[in-house]
Amino acid sequence: MLQLVYISSANPAAPCPTRDILTISRRNNARDRISGLLYADSGRFLQALEGPEDAVELAYARIQRDARHRAIVLLSRRIVDRREFGHWEMAHRAPGVDAVEFLADVQRLTADAAPAVRGTFEGLVRTRVSA
Ligand SMILES: Cc1cc2nc3c(=O)[nH]c(=O)nc-3n(C[C@H](O)[C@H](O)[C@H](O)COP(=O)(O)O)c2cc1C
């Protein structure tokens, strides 16, 4: 199984409700047996995608072409023997959710991930929630 982690910046010229990304991703990823985690806020995306190698490569190729974000940087590409993310989830801080609570949510969603992957999510979220 292939696992990719990338980071990108939201394209201010093509703002989109995260809900739109969520709906299509849930549908496609369930079909393609892709699990993972998408962290999204108004400026940044950080996503882990894992599943059958071909399916993950195809999804990543579509995502790379998407004009809703830019400056995509692949942070890690690993072969994993078991899923580190059981489902496909999105971490998006809803209005009114405090920083500590949101960080705890992200820690729960990354609990089974490799330390480096967990650290990448936690590190970004810490800088974003305190920004
Ligand atoms: C930050 C971000 C994350 C995305 N994540 C996924 C994803 O996990 N799976 C997916 O199929 N599409 C994802 N998309 C959407 C794809 O770029 C693309 O629009 C979609 O896969 C096209 O699906 P369709 O061919 O079924 O219309 C994402 C887009 C953005 C901007």
Side-chain angles (χ1 to χ4, degrees):
M1 206 154 14
L2 177 66
Q3 183 195 79
L4 301 181
V5 181
Y6 74 83
I7 191 166
S8 65
S9 299
N11 181 357
C16 66
T18 43
R19 195 181 56 245
D20 293 356
I21 297 177
L22 184 64
T23 307
I24 200 119
S25 299
R26 272 206 200 294
R27 191 198 65 202
N28 286 351
N29 295 352
R31 177 197 66 199
D32 300 338
R33 290 184 295 131
I34 290 176
S35 48
L37 177 63
L38 173 64
Y39 166 81
D41 63 32
S42 57
R44 290 276 185 196
F45 298 108
L46 174 64
Q47 184 170 30
L49 290 167
E50 66 186 8
E53 210 164 322
D54 292 355
V56 170
E57 296 283 15
L58 284 171
Y60 186 57
R62 288 197 307 271
I63 292 168
Q64 277 184 297
R65 285 194 302 267
D66 197 313
R68 290 174 289 190
H69 60 171
R70 57 186 186 173
I72 300 180
V73 177
L74 187 63
L75 299 178
S76 118
R77 168 186 287 273
R78 301 162 56 223
I79 299 297
V80 291
D81 10 292
R82 55 164 197 92
R83 289 183 191 268
E84 296 182 355
F85 299 86
H87 308 279
W88 192 80
E89 301 281 355
M90 176 133 160
H92 178 62
R93 187 176 169 197
V97 173
D98 78 25
V100 173
E101 194 184 330
F102 182 60
L103 188 62
D105 248 11
V106 170
Q107 284 168 335
R108 182 179 49 80
L109 292 168
T110 56
D112 294 331
V117 173
R118 204 165 60 226
T120 301
F121 274 93
E122 212 181 305
L124 177 74
V125 171
R126 277 185 195 282
T127 61
R128 300 298 288 174
V129 297
S130 64

